Amino acid sequence: MAPQIRPRQRQTVPGWVSEGTPIFDPLENRRGIVQFIGEYEDAASRVSYANAVFARPEGGGVEWVVKDPSSLERG
């Protein structure tokens, strides 16, 4: 049986964004700290994202995946 081919998307991450950077995510209206930048596969859609940005609230809380890293603003 041939392996299943999953859609793959490469997201554009601004050059100033790196792990530990304070950010504002205007699509979610949330401020946070970049926790991780790397590959991510959405369990619901089975789409794999290269350069996905994971952020967490500065004081702690629930981490989220930034939907469009190119829209990020400096925190």
Side-chain angles (χ1 to χ4, degrees), residues 28-66:
E28 294 286 329
N29 195 29
R30 297 175 79 177
R31 293 189 182 279
I33 306 292
V34 175
Q35 188 73 18
F36 174 74
I37 301 172
E39 191 163 326
Y40 166 71
E41 183 178 311
D42 185 312
S45 67
R46 304 294 291 174
V47 174
S48 178
Y49 296 91
N51 297 329
V53 176
F54 293 79
R56 64 171 172 78
E58 191 169 358
V62 178
E63 185 178 74
W64 77 94
V65 178
V66 175

Side-chain angles (χ1 to χ4, degrees), residues 23-31 64 66-67 71-72:
I23 52 109
F24 175 68
D25 183 351
L27 299 178
E28 294 286 329
N29 195 29
R30 297 175 79 177
R31 293 189 182 279
W64 77 94
V66 175
K67 292 178 183 168
S71 70
L72 289 174

